Amino acid sequence: MLLQYIKEHYPDLNKVLYVSLDSFHFQLMSLFEVAEYAYTHGIEALFVDEVHYSQHWGQQLKNIFDSFGELKIVYTGSSMLQIDEAQADLSRRQTVYELQGFSFREYLLFMGYLHQEAISLEYLLANHTSLAMHISSKIKPLMLFDEYLRQGYYPFVLEAQQDYLRRLEQLMLLIIYQEIPKVEDISLQTLQKAQKLMMILATQVPLEPNISTLCREIGATRDIVIRLLYTMEKAGLLMLVNKESNSYKTLSRPDKIYLNNTNQMYSLTGFVNEGTLRETFFVNQVRKTHQVLLPPKGDYIVDKHYTFEVGGAGKTFQQIKDIPNSYLALDGIEYGTGNSIPLYLFGFLY
């Protein structure tokens, strides 16, 4: 992706340098030395891939910025935890962009099925019927939606193909056993329990955690368990959702725990709970651009204004009938009417 960006924006390639720090070559050469070489040889822009492979890379970037202020630097890293940990030192010197997994809309575009611009939530609520008719005239949305839920969140689906779910499982294990220990002082036994927790989340209804029970199962203190949950969320393994009344204080007990995305569910188990699958998709897609909380009635309240109940095609308004601005997000339907909206359309918000 960086090389594509360079090709499109730098007609004179003599003015730009790309390096990937996972190369053996950079075991003997520091990031600062690379930047110094680039600056003294007329390079205007330095693109650094896999930056987290370099020791003390955050401090090195700070020193580079202070020493070679005219040099533009773009860096990427696949370790979200290490990138997040270094942000404090670089906060006044950089703009950070987190590359999300594919929305359903992006997956359709990536695979060549459909080109559709992202829409706002307000547009979706007001125009979902016409939008669904337009989409259904070009593709079979329910068939492709099932495909996306199983293996559409990460772009390596093209290269991995039939090995996609196995490769995703290996990625999750790498995060648990290699990435988390780099930023948290957590025992191997606790990490093994974290892996077990993900298996539980894949097969059961969304977990409303009893922290005392989790502490006993994991064999750790309350502080360690809660810190582990938030670390796993930062790493892209979990989603933590709280009630509307919660203040989102740091390390407060989450009210519900989900896996980060539906592909993880299929990767971890052969049995996927349909209700959990729907809710995981909804939260994953909507919370990228909106605040999602747990209301007293209904499944979710978005931006403290819109209440949603998520379910299958036979779901009714019984639980939210007296709530203003309430909607059903229904799986298994191509078109909706009124305040009943096809679930797959919530995958077009980004």
Side-chain angles (χ1 to χ4, degrees), residues 65-79:
F65 180 89
D66 294 339
S67 301
F68 316 118
E70 298 176 4
L71 180 64
K72 177 182 178 180
I73 302 174
V74 178
Y75 72 89
T76 73
S78 55
S79 175

Side-chain angles (χ1 to χ4, degrees), residues 81 169-182 186-188 190-199 228 232 235 237 268:
L81 292 175
E169 180 184 9
Q170 293 171 344
L171 174 61
M172 290 186 285
L173 291 174
L174 182 146
I175 293 173
I176 291 174
Y177 291 105
Q178 294 188 34
E179 300 295 344
I180 291 179
K182 292 178 182 177
I186 296 177
S187 69
L188 175 61
T190 301
L191 294 173
Q192 291 170 337
K193 296 295 184 180
Q195 182 183 352
K196 178 182 177 182
L197 173 62
M198 294 191 68
M199 292 292 296
L228 177 61
M232 292 174 72
L237 296 175
L268 291 172

Side-chain angles (χ1 to χ4, degrees), residues 138-149:
K138 297 180 177 296
I139 61 171
K140 298 292 185 183
L142 297 185
M143 179 186 71
L144 295 176
F145 184 52
D146 288 341
E147 182 180 293
Y148 167 81
L149 293 177

Side-chain angles (χ1 to χ4, degrees), residues 178-243:
Q178 294 188 34
E179 300 295 344
I180 291 179
K182 292 178 182 177
V183 299
E184 293 285 356
D185 183 17
I186 296 177
S187 69
L188 175 61
Q189 183 182 24
T190 301
L191 294 173
Q192 291 170 337
K193 296 295 184 180
Q195 182 183 352
K196 178 182 177 182
L197 173 62
M198 294 191 68
M199 292 292 296
I200 294 172
L201 292 171
T203 57
Q204 297 185 2
V205 297
L207 182 62
E208 299 181 16
N210 183 311
I211 297 299
S212 297
T213 301
L214 283 178
C215 289
R216 287 196 301 271
E217 291 184 354
I218 293 179
T221 66
R222 176 186 175 87
D223 288 345
I224 290 177
V225 169
I226 293 180
R227 194 172 78 241
L228 177 61
L229 292 176
Y230 278 87
T231 300
M232 292 174 72
E233 182 180 44
K234 286 182 181 179
L237 296 175
L238 300 179
M239 297 186 295
L240 309 180
V241 184
N242 286 315
K243 294 177 181 177

Side-chain angles (χ1 to χ4, degrees), residues 232-347:
M232 292 174 72
E233 182 180 44
K234 286 182 181 179
L237 296 175
L238 300 179
M239 297 186 295
L240 309 180
V241 184
N242 286 315
K243 294 177 181 177
E244 186 177 7
S245 58
N246 283 7
S247 61
Y248 276 95
K249 292 180 180 179
T250 304
L251 300 186
S252 61
R253 180 187 69 83
D255 293 303
K256 276 193 177 181
I257 306 174
Y258 302 81
L259 291 180
N260 177 268
N261 61 80
T262 60
N263 291 186
Q264 291 176 330
M265 301 173 70
Y266 283 103
S267 177
L268 291 172
T269 178
F271 171 78
V272 173
N273 181 285
E274 284 192 2
T276 305
L277 186 73
R278 296 163 181 155
E279 292 191 33
T280 300
F281 168 79
F282 181 90
V283 175
N284 172 273
Q285 299 285 287
V286 177
R287 78 190 312 230
K288 296 294 193 296
T289 51
H290 297 272
Q291 182 189 56
V292 179
L293 299 174
L294 303 174
K297 290 185 178 181
D299 288 327
Y300 309 103
I301 184 165
V302 175
D303 295 337
K304 297 186 177 181
H305 186 70
Y306 304 109
T307 299
F308 291 93
E309 188 82 10
V310 180
K315 190 80 172 181
T316 69
F317 279 92
Q318 182 62 33
Q319 292 176 279
I320 55 174
K321 61 181 180 180
D322 299 323
I323 301 177
N325 301 309
S326 59
Y327 299 85
L328 295 179
L330 302 180
D331 192 18
I333 63 171
E334 280 195 18
Y335 312 96
T337 58
N339 286 16
S340 298
I341 305 172
L343 179 62
Y344 72 85
L345 289 180
F346 290 89

